[in-house]
């Protein structure tokens, strides 16, 4: 602890040299002695699992107002051996943007980097990483009724973590994930240098679009390509119980290619569905025509709210405790397999869980504080799912981070050891990511429990 206090002091002194104006220093740097430390830390914690008294806390939180403040935080953390975490929207499933199991650590919280500039003429936008996807959707819709962006469903998700880890949502089948639609980025590297796509080079630009930003630097902003949307889209939600043949439908859905956001009107959709997926029995009454931006509210369960609810960074439902897992089914699951899964779910010894099939990946998340019982169940159910999903290696979606897959050692971790979890998230891309990491951060400064190792 004495060492940690010492590091803390030196780190603060270093920052005060780097951020000399005392007025801005007090607005940028927060230690546990400041009255607003707790509320700043708490403001973007989206998983109550990481709010307990034993959750490791940062020695310092930096909320930069300028790029120079981020450069200062990197420089001082490197000089004084502080672990470094960067937070944009705070939605990390395992809290890695604000919890470090290697202490002492500093959080750089990019809450003040929220500017969004829409260029309708070129169908592009610059968005700073501290903005949420809700804010981005709102600003697009403010300027155009026929442009949208393909990213996640929950409006409070941050653009920093989300785009760098993939980012899929209702339009991903048609337009790919968020990372597919990034055309440039600004990033600060381990030496404090600011890069764009050209100066960072194509390898690093590739790595931060799916490999997670946290291993490579601090991303400041993304330049994105907006996608065309018609003035009218159609949404539907069809609920079916097991008695209403849910097994057959889910089985069929795995073969059929349909999404419940249709980029067009109901007159086109209904005959299309009758032809390609008649078993669902979709009728006009199930469908609602609306603008693309209203469909964002619909899928976020915010229908009827004014549009500017998208600018709200706090979730409309209270935060909850959860543990998530994901996998990819590489073959359609058989009806018999689905029956077994339903039985397992019905017998689940816990009250709340969510089991989600997405056009890629599956997600199970839970709420409730009966913690150990839930954690034990979700791990057992994950093992139960093994015959139905990917294998050799079993795979997972980075943005649904899961530390059960394996974690880095304190200090450095060998490539072989990190492969245990790395191959699950990245498959054959893991090796290339490790090459990029070795090239851009050979000292392994940007490190967390599942950061890419150096070779
Ligand atoms: P957060 O700030 O926690 O960052 C996540 C990771 O990225 C951390 O490792 C962090 O250090 C790093 N990071 C953040 N900003 C960075 C920066 N500027 N530079 C470098 N590294 C940075 N996913 C999806 O694809 N579709 C969806 O619909 C949803 N919906 C959803 C709903 C809810 C309620 C949750 C909790 C999560 C999702 N997700 C999701 C998952 C989400 O995409 C994932 O958690 C993202 O990483 C969140 O990004 P944030 O910036 O909010 O997280």
């Amino acid at each position: 602890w004495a060492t940690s206090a010492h590091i803390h002091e030196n780190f603060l002194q270093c920052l005060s040299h780097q951020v000399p104006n005392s007025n801005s220093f007090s607005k940028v740097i927060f230690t546990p002695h400041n009255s607003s430390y707790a509320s700043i830390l708490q403001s973007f914690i989206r998983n109550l699992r990481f709010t307990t008294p034993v959750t490791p806390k940062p020695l310092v939180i930096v909320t930069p107002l300028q790029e120079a403040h981020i450069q200062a935080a990197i420089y001082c953390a490197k000089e004084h051996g502080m672990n470094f975490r960067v937070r944009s929207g705070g939605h990390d499933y395992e809290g890695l943007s604000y919890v470090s199991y290697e202490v002492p650590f500093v959080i750089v919280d990019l809450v003040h980097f929220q500017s969004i500039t829409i260029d309708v003429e070129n169908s592009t936008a610059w968005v700073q990483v501290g903005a949420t996807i809700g804010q981005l959707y709102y600003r697009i819709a403010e300027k155009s009724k026929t442009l949208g962006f393909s990213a996640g469903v929950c409006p409070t998700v941050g653009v920093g973590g989300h785009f760098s880890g993939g980012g899929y949502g209702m339009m991903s089948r048609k337009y790919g994930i968020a990372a597919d639609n990034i055309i440039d980025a600004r990033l600060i590297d381990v030496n404090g240098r600011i890069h764009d796509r050209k100066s960072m080079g194509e390898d690093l630009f590739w790595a931060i679009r799916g490999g997670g930003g946290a291993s490579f630097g601090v991303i400041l902003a993304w330049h994105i390509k907006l996608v065309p949307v018609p003035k009218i889209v159609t949404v539907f939600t069809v609920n079916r119980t097991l008695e209403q043949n849910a097994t057959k439908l889910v089985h069929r859905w795995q073969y059929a290619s349909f999404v419940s956001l249709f980029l067009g009107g109901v007159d086109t959709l209904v005959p299309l569905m009758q032809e390609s997926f008649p078993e669902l029995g979709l009728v006009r009454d199930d469908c609602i025509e609306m603008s693309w931006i209203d469909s964002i509210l619909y899928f976020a369960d915010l229908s009827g709210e004014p549009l500017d609810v998208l600018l709200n960074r706090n979730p409309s439902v209270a935060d909850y405790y959860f543990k998530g897992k994901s996998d990819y089914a590489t073959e359609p699951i058989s009806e018999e397999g689905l029956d077994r899964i339903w039985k397992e779910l019905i017998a689940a010894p816990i009250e709340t869980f969510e089991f989600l099939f997405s056009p890629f990946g599956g997600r199970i998340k839970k709420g409730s504080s009966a913690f150990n019982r839930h954690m034990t169940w979700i791990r057992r159910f994950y093992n139960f799912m093994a015959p139905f999903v990917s294998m050799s290696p079993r795979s997972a979606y980075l943005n649904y981070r899961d530390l059960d897959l394996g974690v880095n050692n304190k200090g450095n971790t060998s490539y072989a050891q990190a492969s245990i979890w790395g191959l699950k998230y990245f498959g054959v891309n893991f090796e290339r990511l490790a090459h990029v990491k070795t090239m851009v951060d050979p000292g392994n400064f940007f490190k967390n429990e599942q950061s890419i190792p150096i070779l």
Side-chain angles (χ1 to χ4, degrees), residues 44 46 85-93 95-98 110 129 133 151-154 156-169 212-215 217-220 320 322 360 363 365 397-401 448:
F44 297 114
R46 293 281 84 98
R85 294 296 151 115
V86 54
R87 180 163 76 172
S88 287
H91 282 60
D92 193 278
Y93 271 25
L96 295 193
S97 55
Y98 54 86
L110 297 169
V129 287
I133 54 175
V153 174
C154 171
T156 55
V157 166
V159 153
H162 187 60
F163 291 8
S164 71
Y168 87 91
S215 302
V218 176
I219 300 155
L220 298 168
Y320 45 90
F322 72 91
F360 76 46
R363 174 164 66 135
K365 75 181 184 200
Y397 175 37
L398 180 68
N399 265 343
Y400 293 168
R401 192 186 309 279
N448 63 41

Side-chain angles (χ1 to χ4, degrees), residues 343-357:
K343 282 200 186 92
E344 192 69 16
L345 288 174
I346 289 166
I350 58 177
E351 307 76 42
T352 28
F353 60 82
E354 197 174 287
F355 182 84
L356 255 172
F357 286 92

